[in-house]
Amino acid sequence: MNNFNFLLSPADINLDIARRVKARRKEQKITQQRLSELSDVSLGSVKRFERTGEISLSSLIKIGFALNCEDDFAALFAKKKYSSIQEVINDQT
């Protein structure tokens, strides 16, 4: 499993997210059809996402909620990136 500590392309990240969504779906024993119904995302979109990693942000969020993974979205872009130790020190004061 990768943790994005090395350079990846946007396509690589899309496919990795799709792989993880598919894994959560299967863990919960949900079919693609059922996920489509639970998320209100078309079956074609669910299938295409799992195959290619391509999906709209809105549909991805709906799928996340349907899989009870909504808390994962709270972490997106939440972690501040520091470019120097001085920035870390400044934030602590």
Side-chain angles (χ1 to χ4, degrees):
M1 309 300 156
N2 73 58
N3 57 9
F4 303 117
N5 283 337
F6 52 92
L7 295 177
L8 295 173
S9 72
D12 292 333
I13 294 170
N14 287 357
L15 286 170
D16 192 60
I17 292 169
R19 180 193 53 76
R20 286 183 271 143
V21 166
K22 184 176 182 178
R24 296 298 84 74
R25 176 179 66 75
K26 287 185 169 195
E27 285 170 3
Q28 295 178 35
K29 297 181 179 17
I30 298 173
T31 64
Q32 289 178 328
Q33 176 66 45
R34 184 65 181 142
L35 180 58
S36 170
E37 294 164 0
L38 291 169
S39 65
D40 197 31
V41 173
S42 73
L43 178 58
S45 291
V46 170
K47 287 182 175 184
R48 183 176 55 253
F49 173 55
E50 288 190 2
R51 188 178 67 253
T52 68
E54 294 296 323
I55 196 163
S56 74
L57 177 59
S58 176
S59 292
L60 179 60
I61 291 170
K62 287 178 181 181
I63 288 171
F65 272 70
L67 294 173
N68 299 309
C69 296
E70 60 272 9
D71 290 346
D72 293 347
F73 293 106
L76 286 175
F77 306 108
K79 188 176 176 182
K80 182 175 179 180
K81 299 284 184 178
Y82 295 100
S83 59
S84 71
I85 191 68
Q86 190 59 49
E87 286 183 11
V88 175
I89 294 167
N90 291 346
D91 268 1
Q92 293 178 350
T93 57

mmCIF file of all heavy atoms in Angstrom, residues 59-90:
data_model
loop_
_atom_site.group_PDB
_atom_site.id
_atom_site.type_symbol
_atom_site.label_atom_id
_atom_site.label_comp_id
_atom_site.label_asym_id
_atom_site.label_seq_id
_atom_site.Cartn_x
_atom_site.Cartn_y
_atom_site.Cartn_z
ATOM 1 N N SER A 59 -19.789 12.881 -6.764
ATOM 2 C CA SER A 59 -20.109 11.455 -6.736
ATOM 3 C C SER A 59 -19.194 10.704 -5.782
ATOM 4 O O SER A 59 -19.637 9.782 -5.082
ATOM 5 C CB SER A 59 -20.013 10.868 -8.142
ATOM 6 O OG SER A 59 -21.045 11.379 -8.965
ATOM 7 N N LEU A 60 -17.932 11.080 -5.728
ATOM 8 C CA LEU A 60 -17.003 10.426 -4.804
ATOM 9 C C LEU A 60 -17.445 10.642 -3.361
ATOM 10 O O LEU A 60 -17.426 9.715 -2.550
ATOM 11 C CB LEU A 60 -15.582 10.951 -5.005
ATOM 12 C CG LEU A 60 -14.528 10.352 -4.074
ATOM 13 C CD1 LEU A 60 -14.419 8.839 -4.245
ATOM 14 C CD2 LEU A 60 -13.176 11.017 -4.328
ATOM 15 N N ILE A 61 -17.881 11.830 -3.055
ATOM 16 C CA ILE A 61 -18.350 12.120 -1.697
ATOM 17 C C ILE A 61 -19.612 11.315 -1.386
ATOM 18 O O ILE A 61 -19.733 10.754 -0.293
ATOM 19 C CB ILE A 61 -18.561 13.638 -1.501
ATOM 20 C CG1 ILE A 61 -17.196 14.347 -1.520
ATOM 21 C CG2 ILE A 61 -19.313 13.926 -0.207
ATOM 22 C CD1 ILE A 61 -17.275 15.857 -1.573
ATOM 23 N N LYS A 62 -20.518 11.208 -2.332
ATOM 24 C CA LYS A 62 -21.722 10.399 -2.119
ATOM 25 C C LYS A 62 -21.356 8.940 -1.859
ATOM 26 O O LYS A 62 -21.931 8.295 -0.973
ATOM 27 C CB LYS A 62 -22.638 10.480 -3.344
ATOM 28 C CG LYS A 62 -23.344 11.801 -3.503
ATOM 29 C CD LYS A 62 -24.178 11.782 -4.773
ATOM 30 C CE LYS A 62 -24.902 13.070 -5.026
ATOM 31 N NZ LYS A 62 -25.715 12.991 -6.267
ATOM 32 N N ILE A 63 -20.406 8.423 -2.615
ATOM 33 C CA ILE A 63 -19.955 7.043 -2.412
ATOM 34 C C ILE A 63 -19.305 6.898 -1.041
ATOM 35 O O ILE A 63 -19.550 5.928 -0.327
ATOM 36 C CB ILE A 63 -19.003 6.615 -3.553
ATOM 37 C CG1 ILE A 63 -19.803 6.414 -4.851
ATOM 38 C CG2 ILE A 63 -18.225 5.360 -3.189
ATOM 39 C CD1 ILE A 63 -18.958 6.214 -6.087
ATOM 40 N N GLY A 64 -18.497 7.874 -0.667
ATOM 41 C CA GLY A 64 -17.861 7.847 0.656
ATOM 42 C C GLY A 64 -18.890 7.786 1.774
ATOM 43 O O GLY A 64 -18.748 7.019 2.724
ATOM 44 N N PHE A 65 -19.938 8.577 1.655
ATOM 45 C CA PHE A 65 -21.000 8.555 2.663
ATOM 46 C C PHE A 65 -21.717 7.207 2.668
ATOM 47 O O PHE A 65 -22.017 6.670 3.732
ATOM 48 C CB PHE A 65 -21.996 9.691 2.426
ATOM 49 C CG PHE A 65 -21.613 10.977 3.108
ATOM 50 C CD1 PHE A 65 -20.533 11.720 2.664
ATOM 51 C CD2 PHE A 65 -22.330 11.446 4.188
ATOM 52 C CE1 PHE A 65 -20.182 12.901 3.287
ATOM 53 C CE2 PHE A 65 -21.986 12.627 4.824
ATOM 54 C CZ PHE A 65 -20.900 13.359 4.379
ATOM 55 N N ALA A 66 -21.989 6.663 1.495
ATOM 56 C CA ALA A 66 -22.683 5.376 1.400
ATOM 57 C C ALA A 66 -21.863 4.255 2.040
ATOM 58 O O ALA A 66 -22.424 3.300 2.571
ATOM 59 C CB ALA A 66 -22.978 5.045 -0.061
ATOM 60 N N LEU A 67 -20.544 4.391 2.016
ATOM 61 C CA LEU A 67 -19.649 3.388 2.609
ATOM 62 C C LEU A 67 -19.264 3.732 4.043
ATOM 63 O O LEU A 67 -18.385 3.100 4.627
ATOM 64 C CB LEU A 67 -18.392 3.228 1.741
ATOM 65 C CG LEU A 67 -18.626 2.652 0.352
ATOM 66 C CD1 LEU A 67 -17.338 2.704 -0.464
ATOM 67 C CD2 LEU A 67 -19.155 1.220 0.441
ATOM 68 N N ASN A 68 -19.894 4.745 4.613
ATOM 69 C CA ASN A 68 -19.599 5.193 5.984
ATOM 70 C C ASN A 68 -18.148 5.626 6.154
ATOM 71 O O ASN A 68 -17.540 5.391 7.198
ATOM 72 C CB ASN A 68 -19.961 4.100 7.003
ATOM 73 C CG ASN A 68 -21.432 3.767 6.965
ATOM 74 O OD1 ASN A 68 -22.277 4.647 7.035
ATOM 75 N ND2 ASN A 68 -21.741 2.498 6.812
ATOM 76 N N CYS A 69 -17.620 6.274 5.134
ATOM 77 C CA CYS A 69 -16.238 6.764 5.164
ATOM 78 C C CYS A 69 -16.196 8.293 5.105
ATOM 79 O O CYS A 69 -15.178 8.876 4.718
ATOM 80 C CB CYS A 69 -15.456 6.178 3.988
ATOM 81 S SG CYS A 69 -15.264 4.400 4.034
ATOM 82 N N GLU A 70 -17.280 8.936 5.501
ATOM 83 C CA GLU A 70 -17.347 10.392 5.367
ATOM 84 C C GLU A 70 -16.272 11.118 6.168
ATOM 85 O O GLU A 70 -15.827 12.197 5.781
ATOM 86 C CB GLU A 70 -18.736 10.924 5.717
ATOM 87 C CG GLU A 70 -19.215 10.633 7.106
ATOM 88 C CD GLU A 70 -19.940 9.300 7.263
ATOM 89 O OE1 GLU A 70 -19.956 8.479 6.347
ATOM 90 O OE2 GLU A 70 -20.487 9.097 8.358
ATOM 91 N N ASP A 71 -15.831 10.535 7.268
ATOM 92 C CA ASP A 71 -14.786 11.182 8.073
ATOM 93 C C ASP A 71 -13.465 11.299 7.318
ATOM 94 O O ASP A 71 -12.658 12.174 7.608
ATOM 95 C CB ASP A 71 -14.554 10.415 9.377
ATOM 96 C CG ASP A 71 -15.723 10.537 10.342
ATOM 97 O OD1 ASP A 71 -16.598 11.416 10.139
ATOM 98 O OD2 ASP A 71 -15.771 9.751 11.298
ATOM 99 N N ASP A 72 -13.248 10.434 6.349
ATOM 100 C CA ASP A 72 -12.006 10.490 5.577
ATOM 101 C C ASP A 72 -11.878 11.799 4.807
ATOM 102 O O ASP A 72 -10.764 12.278 4.571
ATOM 103 C CB ASP A 72 -11.915 9.316 4.599
ATOM 104 C CG ASP A 72 -11.784 7.979 5.300
ATOM 105 O OD1 ASP A 72 -11.515 7.966 6.526
ATOM 106 O OD2 ASP A 72 -11.943 6.950 4.629
ATOM 107 N N PHE A 73 -12.996 12.385 4.420
ATOM 108 C CA PHE A 73 -12.936 13.633 3.660
ATOM 109 C C PHE A 73 -12.480 14.806 4.524
ATOM 110 O O PHE A 73 -11.916 15.768 4.013
ATOM 111 C CB PHE A 73 -14.295 13.943 3.023
ATOM 112 C CG PHE A 73 -14.665 12.955 1.962
ATOM 113 C CD1 PHE A 73 -15.636 12.000 2.203
ATOM 114 C CD2 PHE A 73 -14.032 12.953 0.726
ATOM 115 C CE1 PHE A 73 -15.982 11.074 1.231
ATOM 116 C CE2 PHE A 73 -14.358 12.027 -0.248
ATOM 117 C CZ PHE A 73 -15.337 11.084 -0.002
ATOM 118 N N ALA A 74 -12.701 14.728 5.834
ATOM 119 C CA ALA A 74 -12.293 15.807 6.729
ATOM 120 C C ALA A 74 -10.778 15.980 6.755
ATOM 121 O O ALA A 74 -10.274 17.070 7.014
ATOM 122 C CB ALA A 74 -12.810 15.542 8.140
ATOM 123 N N ALA A 75 -10.052 14.919 6.449
ATOM 124 C CA ALA A 75 -8.589 14.982 6.489
ATOM 125 C C ALA A 75 -7.980 15.551 5.210
ATOM 126 O O ALA A 75 -6.805 15.933 5.213
ATOM 127 C CB ALA A 75 -8.019 13.591 6.752
ATOM 128 N N LEU A 76 -8.760 15.651 4.142
ATOM 129 C CA LEU A 76 -8.217 16.169 2.886
ATOM 130 C C LEU A 76 -7.764 17.618 3.048
ATOM 131 O O LEU A 76 -8.526 18.463 3.523
ATOM 132 C CB LEU A 76 -9.264 16.104 1.778
ATOM 133 C CG LEU A 76 -9.559 14.736 1.209
ATOM 134 C CD1 LEU A 76 -10.707 14.832 0.199
ATOM 135 C CD2 LEU A 76 -8.338 14.136 0.558
ATOM 136 N N PHE A 77 -6.557 17.884 2.712
ATOM 137 C CA PHE A 77 -5.971 19.224 2.739
ATOM 138 C C PHE A 77 -5.954 19.858 4.122
ATOM 139 O O PHE A 77 -5.743 21.054 4.266
ATOM 140 C CB PHE A 77 -6.688 20.163 1.762
ATOM 141 C CG PHE A 77 -6.760 19.640 0.370
ATOM 142 C CD1 PHE A 77 -7.955 19.189 -0.159
ATOM 143 C CD2 PHE A 77 -5.623 19.572 -0.417
ATOM 144 C CE1 PHE A 77 -8.028 18.683 -1.444
ATOM 145 C CE2 PHE A 77 -5.679 19.070 -1.701
ATOM 146 C CZ PHE A 77 -6.884 18.631 -2.219
ATOM 147 N N ALA A 78 -6.173 19.075 5.162
ATOM 148 C CA ALA A 78 -6.219 19.620 6.519
ATOM 149 C C ALA A 78 -4.831 19.787 7.130
ATOM 150 O O ALA A 78 -4.621 20.635 7.990
ATOM 151 C CB ALA A 78 -7.062 18.720 7.418
ATOM 152 N N LYS A 79 -3.896 18.999 6.680
ATOM 153 C CA LYS A 79 -2.557 18.999 7.249
ATOM 154 C C LYS A 79 -1.713 20.082 6.582
ATOM 155 O O LYS A 79 -1.512 20.080 5.374
ATOM 156 C CB LYS A 79 -1.922 17.625 7.022
ATOM 157 C CG LYS A 79 -0.627 17.410 7.709
ATOM 158 C CD LYS A 79 -0.185 15.968 7.472
ATOM 159 C CE LYS A 79 1.165 15.704 8.048
ATOM 160 N NZ LYS A 79 1.591 14.328 7.780
ATOM 161 N N LYS A 80 -1.237 21.020 7.387
ATOM 162 C CA LYS A 80 -0.413 22.104 6.856
ATOM 163 C C LYS A 80 0.977 21.580 6.512
ATOM 164 O O LYS A 80 1.569 20.815 7.264
ATOM 165 C CB LYS A 80 -0.296 23.236 7.876
ATOM 166 C CG LYS A 80 0.499 24.412 7.364
ATOM 167 C CD LYS A 80 0.514 25.562 8.335
ATOM 168 C CE LYS A 80 1.346 26.700 7.771
ATOM 169 N NZ LYS A 80 1.394 27.837 8.665
ATOM 170 N N LYS A 81 1.474 22.009 5.372
ATOM 171 C CA LYS A 81 2.824 21.646 4.947
ATOM 172 C C LYS A 81 3.773 22.780 5.331
ATOM 173 O O LYS A 81 3.515 23.944 5.035
ATOM 174 C CB LYS A 81 2.882 21.442 3.427
ATOM 175 C CG LYS A 81 2.005 20.343 2.927
ATOM 176 C CD LYS A 81 2.598 19.015 3.232
ATOM 177 C CE LYS A 81 1.751 17.912 2.637
ATOM 178 N NZ LYS A 81 2.276 16.611 2.838
ATOM 179 N N TYR A 82 4.829 22.439 6.020
ATOM 180 C CA TYR A 82 5.817 23.431 6.431
ATOM 181 C C TYR A 82 7.016 23.378 5.489
ATOM 182 O O TYR A 82 7.439 22.307 5.081
ATOM 183 C CB TYR A 82 6.286 23.161 7.862
ATOM 184 C CG TYR A 82 5.184 23.326 8.884
ATOM 185 C CD1 TYR A 82 4.509 22.228 9.412
ATOM 186 C CD2 TYR A 82 4.829 24.589 9.326
ATOM 187 C CE1 TYR A 82 3.500 22.390 10.345
ATOM 188 C CE2 TYR A 82 3.817 24.758 10.262
ATOM 189 C CZ TYR A 82 3.163 23.651 10.769
ATOM 190 O OH TYR A 82 2.169 23.814 11.689
ATOM 191 N N SER A 83 7.553 24.549 5.190
ATOM 192 C CA SER A 83 8.730 24.592 4.322
ATOM 193 C C SER A 83 10.010 24.853 5.113
ATOM 194 O O SER A 83 11.099 24.772 4.556
ATOM 195 C CB SER A 83 8.555 25.655 3.232
ATOM 196 O OG SER A 83 8.368 26.928 3.813
ATOM 197 N N SER A 84 9.853 25.148 6.402
ATOM 198 C CA SER A 84 11.048 25.365 7.222
ATOM 199 C C SER A 84 10.718 25.113 8.690
ATOM 200 O O SER A 84 9.557 25.152 9.097
ATOM 201 C CB SER A 84 11.559 26.799 7.075
ATOM 202 O OG SER A 84 10.674 27.708 7.705
ATOM 203 N N ILE A 85 11.738 24.894 9.468
ATOM 204 C CA ILE A 85 11.551 24.717 10.912
ATOM 205 C C ILE A 85 11.038 26.021 11.540
ATOM 206 O O ILE A 85 10.286 25.981 12.505
ATOM 207 C CB ILE A 85 12.863 24.216 11.584
ATOM 208 C CG1 ILE A 85 12.595 23.772 13.027
ATOM 209 C CG2 ILE A 85 13.921 25.275 11.555
ATOM 210 C CD1 ILE A 85 11.754 22.547 13.131
ATOM 211 N N GLN A 86 11.402 27.135 10.952
ATOM 212 C CA GLN A 86 10.947 28.419 11.463
ATOM 213 C C GLN A 86 9.428 28.542 11.380
ATOM 214 O O GLN A 86 8.775 29.068 12.286
ATOM 215 C CB GLN A 86 11.616 29.594 10.729
ATOM 216 C CG GLN A 86 11.373 30.945 11.381
ATOM 217 C CD GLN A 86 11.880 30.992 12.817
ATOM 218 O OE1 GLN A 86 13.010 30.616 13.111
ATOM 219 N NE2 GLN A 86 11.026 31.453 13.728
ATOM 220 N N GLU A 87 8.821 28.022 10.317
ATOM 221 C CA GLU A 87 7.367 28.048 10.204
ATOM 222 C C GLU A 87 6.710 27.218 11.316
ATOM 223 O O GLU A 87 5.676 27.613 11.849
ATOM 224 C CB GLU A 87 6.916 27.527 8.827
ATOM 225 C CG GLU A 87 7.151 28.498 7.712
ATOM 226 C CD GLU A 87 6.625 27.976 6.377
ATOM 227 O OE1 GLU A 87 5.891 26.956 6.374
ATOM 228 O OE2 GLU A 87 6.945 28.572 5.359
ATOM 229 N N VAL A 88 7.313 26.116 11.656
ATOM 230 C CA VAL A 88 6.802 25.273 12.741
ATOM 231 C C VAL A 88 6.862 26.043 14.046
ATOM 232 O O VAL A 88 5.904 26.077 14.821
ATOM 233 C CB VAL A 88 7.599 23.943 12.847
ATOM 234 C CG1 VAL A 88 7.137 23.142 14.048
ATOM 235 C CG2 VAL A 88 7.472 23.137 11.565
ATOM 236 N N ILE A 89 7.992 26.666 14.305
ATOM 237 C CA ILE A 89 8.179 27.451 15.538
ATOM 238 C C ILE A 89 7.183 28.597 15.585
ATOM 239 O O ILE A 89 6.548 28.845 16.619
ATOM 240 C CB ILE A 89 9.638 27.964 15.647
ATOM 241 C CG1 ILE A 89 10.582 26.758 15.825
ATOM 242 C CG2 ILE A 89 9.780 28.971 16.766
ATOM 243 C CD1 ILE A 89 12.043 27.100 15.643
ATOM 244 N N ASN A 90 7.019 29.292 14.482
ATOM 245 C CA ASN A 90 6.094 30.423 14.425
ATOM 246 C C ASN A 90 4.643 29.996 14.711
ATOM 247 O O ASN A 90 3.899 30.721 15.343
ATOM 248 C CB ASN A 90 6.170 31.130 13.079
ATOM 249 C CG ASN A 90 7.470 31.871 12.875
ATOM 250 O OD1 ASN A 90 8.234 32.087 13.800
ATOM 251 N ND2 ASN A 90 7.748 32.218 11.633
#
